[in-house]
Amino acid sequence: MSSVPAVPATAVPPPATGAWREGDAPGRRRWHQWSRPLELEGGGVLPGVRLAFETWGRLAPDRSNAVLVLHALTGDSHVAGAAGPGHPTAGWWDALVGPGRALDTDRWFVVAPNVLGGCQGSTGPASAGPGGRPWGGSFPRLTQRDQVRAEAGLADALGIGRWALVIGGSMGGMRALEWAVGEPRRVAALLLLACPAAASADQIAWATVQVHAIRADPHWRGGDYHDAGPGRGPTAGLGVARRIAHITYRSAGELQARFGHRAQEGEQPWLGGRYGVESYLDHQAAKLVRRFDAASYVALAEAMNTHDIGRGRGGTRAALGRVEARTVVAGVDSDRLYPPAQQAELAEGIASADGVRIIRSPYGHDGFLLETDQVAALVRELLDGQSG
């Protein structure tokens, strides 16, 4: 693989990992520690499982007002709130959570965990393994079902037997669907955004290329790099993976409208400079490598590739027939990574879903994160009339 710098050469070298580590500021995080090892779908167990999570609002005495929000691939538990110590970025769905917003924290108790295998406080490759050193390359392979089982343990610890709403988009939508199929009596309402019943060959291919980019980085070292110094982690590979992913997250029309064939200001591509779209992708890569972990990216991408709601359940149709929740399924009209036809399959298979809703957006797959007014309307539709 050719060397592609994740940040400009004049910048301060990024740390080997952008993961949250013990000793870092906790921010708003709380933790749930499993009391027993987690049995994994693929065999074996994961000892010492811990999930980081954040909450907003107050749990009602009858525990009927709890909402579970599940993040996408490079998200975390910080759904709402400002950036600050322990939180390198502001809340990724801040416009949805808070007093008077769609997830009104005067009514609803909102819970957002960092996914198992993630890097912002939950057990993952950057966290300490049984010997005290980072798991690194020995971290076991996970599936979406393993991750939901860990989240169910968190719900048990919080005393939540049934969620008023489970909501997620992209990878978060995959887990939300697993919740509704695997734990149907624990989900009263369900909002699925820009996600499929099973990962397609195209989606697996895109994810696999990104994983290969990370593993081809000479600083990957089999995943055992977490204690290396600044500039000595696989940040170049992670940056390439982010560039690839971000192209699939946005639409061709948006990229053309924003950048076209124009050169980056002050640069000449025909003399070694960059086009505007190149600079944009460089910027996205530079941001990610300072807040994320390459091995977590690999673990989560591979877990997404395992997503198949019908595996071991008699196929997709039979699995979707197990959903008892009132359901809204929505896709983004310009999404080229998880196209609306995949959401139409979900809506057709879930009895309570009234067709597929379309989020209108020029932004592609990222529309489920950016078109918060349209998402808020869907949230309110599901929560209207519920107690809280």
Side-chain angles (χ1 to χ4, degrees):
M1 183 185 72
S2 61
S3 176
V4 179
V7 294
T10 56
V12 175
T17 174
W20 185 92
R21 311 292 292 274
E22 291 292 342
D24 290 346
R28 295 190 75 260
R29 292 175 185 82
R30 299 161 60 190
W31 280 270
H32 166 60
Q33 181 76 47
W34 267 58
S35 60
R36 63 187 186 282
L38 176 68
E39 294 185 7
L40 302 178
E41 184 185 7
V45 298
L46 184 59
V49 169
R50 189 172 76 155
L51 286 189
F53 67 100
E54 295 178 49
T55 67
W56 296 261
R58 181 173 297 178
L59 186 61
D62 64 359
R63 292 172 163 76
S64 64
N65 68 332
V67 173
L68 180 64
V69 179
L70 300 174
H71 67 76
L73 173 60
T74 61
D76 54 33
S77 64
H78 199 52
V79 174
H87 300 297
T89 57
W92 51 270
W93 248 356
D94 191 68
L96 289 184
V97 179
R101 296 176 181 174
L103 292 174
D104 187 345
T105 49
D106 290 336
R107 297 181 59 204
W108 303 103
F109 179 64
V110 179
V111 180
N114 180 217
V115 68
L116 181 67
C119 63
Q120 289 299 318
S122 291
T123 297
S127 57
R133 295 181 61 81
W135 275 98
S138 64
F139 190 73
R141 287 209 175 200
L142 301 175
T143 69
Q144 303 279 302
R145 298 182 192 181
D146 298 327
Q147 294 165 335
V148 168
R149 197 172 303 117
E151 291 163 1
L154 170 61
D156 293 342
L158 294 173
I160 299 168
R162 182 175 171 86
W163 297 102
L165 171 66
V166 177
I167 175 174
S170 193
M171 184 184 82
M174 297 177 188
R175 303 204 313 285
L177 181 59
E178 275 292 342
W179 261 100
V181 171
E183 301 280 354
R185 295 186 178 180
R186 301 191 72 168
V187 182
L190 177 68
L191 179 52
L192 301 174
L193 300 167
C195 65
S200 69
D202 187 61
Q203 289 150 3
I204 293 170
W206 282 115
T208 298
V209 170
Q210 294 167 48
V211 167
H212 277 290
I214 293 171
R215 288 180 168 152
D217 189 306
H219 293 308
W220 170 246
R221 291 193 288 275
D224 297 322
Y225 59 83
H226 291 90
D227 292 330
R232 299 194 57 80
T235 52
L238 178 58
V240 172
R242 181 61 165 182
R243 289 173 175 88
I244 295 168
H246 203 76
I247 295 167
T248 71
Y249 296 159
R250 311 303 280 233
S251 72
E254 186 220 359
L255 294 178
Q256 180 64 21
R258 288 180 66 181
F259 303 107
H261 194 257
R262 295 185 294 276
Q264 175 66 8
E265 185 177 357
E267 299 188 31
Q268 298 179 343
W270 49 94
L271 295 177
R274 298 172 298 173
Y275 291 97
V277 71
E278 286 183 84
S279 175
Y280 171 67
L281 295 175
D282 288 348
H283 175 68
Q284 297 300 325
K287 288 196 303 182
L288 186 75
V289 301
R290 294 185 180 276
R291 69 169 181 85
F292 214 77
D293 178 59
S296 271
Y297 198 103
V298 169
L300 298 183
E302 291 183 334
M304 291 172 69
N305 284 350
T306 73
H307 175 61
D308 179 359
I309 204 67
R311 184 176 64 250
R313 293 168 172 155
T316 297
R317 179 67 64 169
L320 295 179
R322 298 169 60 167
V323 176
E324 299 177 7
R326 292 183 305 107
T327 302
V328 169
V329 180
V332 181
D333 60 355
S334 56
D335 191 342
R336 56 180 171 178
L337 180 59
Y338 293 92
Q342 292 188 313
Q343 290 85 63
E345 180 185 20
L346 294 176
E348 289 167 5
I350 298 174
S352 64
D354 182 19
V356 63
R357 311 298 176 83
I358 298 298
I359 296 171
R360 307 292 176 184
S361 176
Y363 300 117
H365 183 62
D366 273 354
F368 84 91
L369 292 169
L370 299 173
E371 304 292 354
T372 51
D373 287 346
Q374 295 180 62
V375 174
L378 301 176
V379 171
R380 289 191 172 100
E381 177 183 338
L382 280 167
L383 291 178
D384 185 41
Q386 289 201 50
S387 61

